[in-house]
Amino acid sequence: MDNLLDTLLGLVLGAILMYWLFSFFRKKKSKDVTKQQSTVLLDKIKSVCKLVSVEGDFAEIYNYENTKEGFFSLLSSKKKALIIVKAKAHIGYDLSKLNLKADEEKKTIILGNFPEPEVLSIEPDLQFYDIKNGLFNSFSPDDLTNLNQEAKDHVRQKIPDSGLMDTARKEALQAVLLVEKIVETIGWTLDYSALEISSSEKRSIEA
């Protein structure tokens, strides 16, 4: 009789031990998977990198003149051209600058702040008209490179007064929603309660 009780007690203790070991490894495996999910998710969001939210078109007529002196400044040679500058400016967000933290227990990504909009790219298109080369001062490939850079700088200076930045700020919620969709792809949630969002904007998100 004692042997039978000892055997039963051994089986019960063995079953408890096996259950404990099974629960421990299952919990550890689940924790590892969750941690891996959060790492992959954060990398996935950052891989989106730059998000264009606003595109602006600029057009300018530019009179270019350049005078070059020679022979001890006794002679001068002028080259000039009428240039029509058309450019596209892309304003948006660099998502690699997002402040993101992962709460692995709640499977939640916490968005601490959102970056300010910035100029992501400027694509100038220069069309030359009425080109006149000087006697010893003519247009070269370097001139085109320099003029492209000047056109970019000129457009960049005009962007603050164009209203594009304000428009991009209004589109920030669309960027937040994009991040939220990415988070939801693996069953997580995005917590952006730390951001300052007006009540009307909140209603538009909930709608």
Side-chain angles (χ1 to χ4, degrees):
M1 187 68 177
D2 291 338
N3 291 334
L4 180 60
L5 289 175
D6 291 340
T7 301
L8 289 174
L9 181 60
L11 290 173
V12 170
L13 291 176
I16 293 173
L17 179 61
M18 289 298 294
Y19 176 77
W20 182 83
L21 288 173
F22 175 75
S23 299
F24 173 78
F25 284 111
R26 185 177 64 177
K27 185 176 181 181
K28 186 176 185 301
K29 183 178 180 181
S30 176
K31 187 176 180 179
D32 290 342
V33 170
T34 302
K35 187 174 182 179
Q36 184 179 11
Q37 277 185 328
S38 66
T39 302
V40 171
L41 182 58
L42 292 176
D43 288 340
K44 185 177 180 181
I45 292 172
K46 290 181 180 179
S47 69
V48 176
C49 199
K50 295 182 179 180
L51 175 67
V52 176
S53 60
V54 178
E55 181 180 280
D57 293 314
F58 293 84
E60 296 283 338
I61 298 177
Y62 184 41
N63 283 299
Y64 175 81
E65 289 188 1
N66 176 269
T67 302
K68 183 177 181 181
E69 295 183 345
F71 299 102
F72 303 101
S73 300
L74 296 176
L75 296 177
S76 64
S77 180
K78 180 186 293 185
K79 60 184 175 184
K80 61 181 182 177
L82 179 66
I83 306 172
I84 295 180
V85 179
K86 295 181 179 179
K88 285 187 179 296
H90 297 112
I91 313 297
Y93 298 91
D94 186 349
L95 298 187
S96 66
K97 296 180 180 179
L98 289 175
N99 182 4
L100 297 171
K101 294 181 181 179
D103 186 335
E104 296 167 5
E105 292 185 2
K106 297 180 180 180
K107 288 192 173 183
T108 300
I109 298 296
I110 302 169
L111 180 56
N113 75 312
F114 205 79
E116 284 291 310
E118 58 186 80
V119 180
L120 299 180
S121 67
I122 297 175
E123 301 171 1
D125 177 24
L126 276 60
Q127 298 176 4
F128 290 78
Y129 296 91
D130 193 22
I131 299 175
K132 293 181 180 179
N133 290 309
L135 182 62
F136 53 88
N137 187 16
S138 58
F139 283 93
S140 67
D142 289 340
D143 288 328
L144 180 60
T145 300
N146 294 333
L147 284 169
N148 267 281
Q149 186 58 51
E150 287 181 19
K152 285 184 179 181
D153 294 339
H154 183 68
V155 171
R156 192 180 298 273
Q157 292 173 6
K158 286 186 169 293
I159 287 175
D161 297 327
S162 67
L164 289 176
M165 289 298 187
D166 291 335
T167 302
R169 288 187 182 92
K170 294 177 183 178
E171 297 292 329
L173 284 177
Q174 298 302 319
V176 174
L177 291 176
L178 173 63
V179 176
E180 186 176 41
K181 293 298 181 183
I182 295 174
V183 170
E184 289 175 349
T185 58
I186 63 168
W188 285 48
T189 57
L190 178 69
D191 179 2
Y192 49 87
S193 58
L195 301 183
E196 294 183 3
I197 302 176
S198 67
S199 57
S200 61
E201 290 172 332
K202 287 180 180 178
R203 286 196 295 270
S204 66
I205 291 179
E206 294 171 354

